[in-house]
Amino acid sequence: MPASAGPDMGDEATRQANRLFLTTRAACGADHVLAIDVTLGQPSGFAPVLGETVAPRTGHTLYLAMSGVTSTPPKAIGVGTQWQGRISFMAESARIISIGSDGRRGAWTPMSGGEIYAVDLAYRQGWTARVSELAFLTNLGRFAKARRPTCSEIPAG
């Protein structure tokens, strides 16, 4: 890593942000697609009975396809060997579909574009990152797990 902040640090920050973005998104054709596996809570009550093992109830998978994805140049403050900044990812448009664990399929529904992902990066003797995900994914909390889908599993349409 360079000893001073500058264009090289910004380029490396962009590489770090792109790597993080693609850990949960697949580039499939013109779209970047995120799969969100949603499980349901306990069948009844607040918690399982002591000593019982309750398997999570299956739910559905949401596929979010984002088109026209671009990232902002790093907005950074660099001083000596330290660097920090934010890189945002924007989508021109998006669409979403739900596939139930029982095979039921919804229809692709358009969504508005805008900021879809952001990474706050810092370099101080190594890189650290804090990711800001889509609000609706964050709101699903422990019931949702984002993952990188394979392009072949994404529903056509």
Side-chain angles (χ1 to χ4, degrees):
M1 196 51 47
S4 64
D8 291 341
M9 294 295 273
D11 291 346
E12 181 57 26
T14 299
R15 282 190 286 282
Q16 294 282 332
N18 287 332
R19 181 186 57 77
L20 288 167
F21 180 76
L22 292 173
T23 59
T24 54
R25 287 152 177 87
C28 300
D31 292 338
H32 284 82
V33 184
L34 169 69
I36 306 163
D37 296 321
V38 181
T39 56
L40 307 176
Q42 298 296 330
S44 63
F46 177 73
V49 174
L50 188 60
E52 284 186 12
T53 303
V54 178
R57 297 185 316 169
T58 57
H60 58 275
T61 299
L62 300 171
Y63 293 96
L64 177 61
M66 300 153 281
S67 298
V69 174
T70 58
S71 62
T72 59
K75 295 177 183 171
I77 300 169
V79 179
T81 60
Q82 297 183 358
W83 187 97
Q84 71 181 45
R86 179 179 187 94
I87 298 175
S88 296
F89 290 78
M90 312 292 284
E92 289 178 11
S93 63
R95 58 194 178 113
I96 192 165
I97 191 171
S98 175
I99 306 296
S101 59
D102 59 2
R104 284 195 282 179
R105 173 189 163 140
W108 281 103
T109 304
M111 298 175 62
S112 60
E115 184 175 278
I116 55 170
Y117 189 84
V119 182
D120 293 307
L121 290 156
Y123 183 84
R124 290 174 189 79
Q125 299 179 338
W127 287 99
T128 58
R130 192 180 90 233
V131 171
S132 298
E133 241 336 323
L134 294 163
F136 83 85
L137 178 57
T138 303
N139 291 339
L140 289 171
R142 65 187 175 111
F143 298 109
K145 182 174 186 230
R147 67 177 170 82
R148 184 180 186 181
T150 61
C151 295
S152 62
E153 79 180 83
I154 299 164

